[in-house]
Amino acid sequence: MILSGKACVAGVMGWPVGHSRSPRLHGFWLERHGIDGAYVPLAVPPDRAEQAIRALPALGFRGCNVTVPHKEAALRAVDAVDPLAARIGAVNTIVVRPDGTLEGRNTDAFGFIANLREHAPGWALGSPALVIGAGGAARAVVVALLDAGAPVVRVANRTRERAAELAASLGGPIEVVDWAERSDALAGAGLLVNTTTLGMAGQPALDIDLSPLPPTAVVTDIVYTPLLTPLLAAAARRGNPVVDGLGMLLHQARPGFAAWFGVEPEVTPELRRFVLDGR
Ligand code: ATR
């Protein structure tokens, strides 16, 4: 794509950032919609994150995505934090407003639910959900589930205090589950979500006995390298519907693209294939 001098510019800030699929994902949409714009990787070390974020308006950026490890720094660096990002405690999308101030948003909760709705339309929201993990990704998932109306969200984390802190800070119908009880907590659940890095290429698998899980329960993983994690493979073998984590990445990108480039983009099978081909 040849850019003009008026091109709209956005990007993804992270450290490292070379593995990010976001430039390919947004690049696909820019090309598809014939937009005079660019979406670039911004490799910014942790001690420069706030400075780099504050420089976005001066550089003429429309905004950026923020990824590991800058999501908390972004919360501090922006001028205004939207209520959802404040609850989650992390910013993954920054929008430069017309007056040059910075607004921090979080689109991970939206991406999580949109992915489930797309790939597990029969998902029964009426039953409890079990979330494994209590890090930043878990907070976005738990907020998404509470806001979608989940009656109970059970949270099991290796370090129990972190799950307790998450429950105390988010409020609502959250039950903290001991790590040793994670399999038992699958009884009666309609959804199991892994938000940890367990199952990622090079990491051990999540060790959980799926036998108490009802056969209709949906199992999803935010890990998408590999697409079929050991957890998803085990769930699929026993007949549970499974949803991989790539769709969450694709859907969480939609609100940022719309804000920066003025077009509502779509998640299509073609986009999914294109992002996967970039591996
Ligand atoms: P993120 O913000 O991406 O969610 P994080 O805050 O580092 O990342 O959280 C990682 C999550 O994976 C945590 O819930 C962590 O458990 P602890 O709070 O006990 O550290 C979990 N995790 C990572 N490695 C794990 C392992 N080997 N076994 C169990 N849980 C693990």
Side-chain angles (χ1 to χ4, degrees):
M1 166 70 105
I2 306 294
L3 302 174
S4 81
K6 294 180 184 150
C8 302
V9 185
V12 55
M13 197 178 289
W15 186 261
V17 80
H19 65 280
S20 173
R21 310 277 172 94
S22 293
R24 196 168 166 88
L25 160 52
H26 287 272
F28 177 95
W29 283 332
L30 287 169
E31 185 87 21
R32 171 56 45 98
H33 293 286
I35 293 170
D36 183 18
Y39 183 99
V40 296
L42 299 164
V44 174
D47 61 335
R48 310 299 292 275
E50 291 197 34
Q51 191 184 4
I53 289 166
R54 299 296 316 165
L56 289 168
L59 291 167
F61 273 63
R62 293 291 179 101
C64 72
N65 283 125
V66 182
T67 188
V68 180
H70 299 327
K71 290 186 182 187
E72 286 83 20
L75 193 68
R76 295 188 296 272
V78 296
D79 300 296
V81 178
D82 91 356
L84 188 64
R87 265 167 82 208
I88 294 171
V91 161
N92 77 334
T93 302
I94 296 175
V95 176
V96 178
R97 300 191 288 204
D99 65 357
T101 57
L102 297 168
E103 183 185 337
R105 305 183 187 171
N106 190 308
T107 66
D108 285 331
F110 168 83
F112 174 75
I113 289 290
N115 185 36
L116 268 189
R117 296 225 156 106
E118 181 188 349
H119 294 286
W123 164 51
L125 186 56
S127 25
L130 175 64
V131 174
I132 304 290
R139 291 181 67 92
V141 166
V142 172
V143 165
L145 290 172
L146 292 175
D147 287 2
V152 176
V153 181
R154 301 173 181 156
V155 179
N157 192 51
R158 176 181 57 180
T159 311
R160 188 189 158 99
E161 305 98 87
R162 264 188 111 188
E165 279 163 25
L166 178 152
S169 74
L170 293 181
I174 302 173
E175 283 176 14
V176 176
V177 172
D178 270 350
W179 186 240
E181 308 293 325
R182 61 194 181 283
S183 294
D184 297 340
L186 291 171
L191 178 71
L192 166 62
V193 189
N194 174 46
T195 72
T196 73
T197 49
L198 295 168
M200 196 180 274
Q203 300 279 332
L206 170 65
D207 179 17
I208 190 165
D209 170 14
L210 293 179
S211 50
L213 187 68
T216 51
V218 175
V219 179
T220 185
D221 206 321
I222 68 156
V223 170
Y224 56 85
T225 48
L227 269 186
L228 193 66
T229 59
L231 172 67
L232 295 184
R237 274 196 301 277
R238 64 193 295 283
N240 288 92
V242 300
V243 179
D244 69 55
L246 183 64
M248 178 174 171
L249 173 79
L250 304 181
H251 282 285
Q252 66 74 34
R254 288 166 45 204
F257 189 91
W260 306 318
F261 301 115
V263 173
E264 298 275 349
E266 278 191 359
V267 170
T268 58
E270 190 189 356
L271 171 70
R272 198 178 147 88
R273 278 194 300 276
F274 182 79
V275 171
L276 280 173
D277 282 350
R279 284 187 293 179

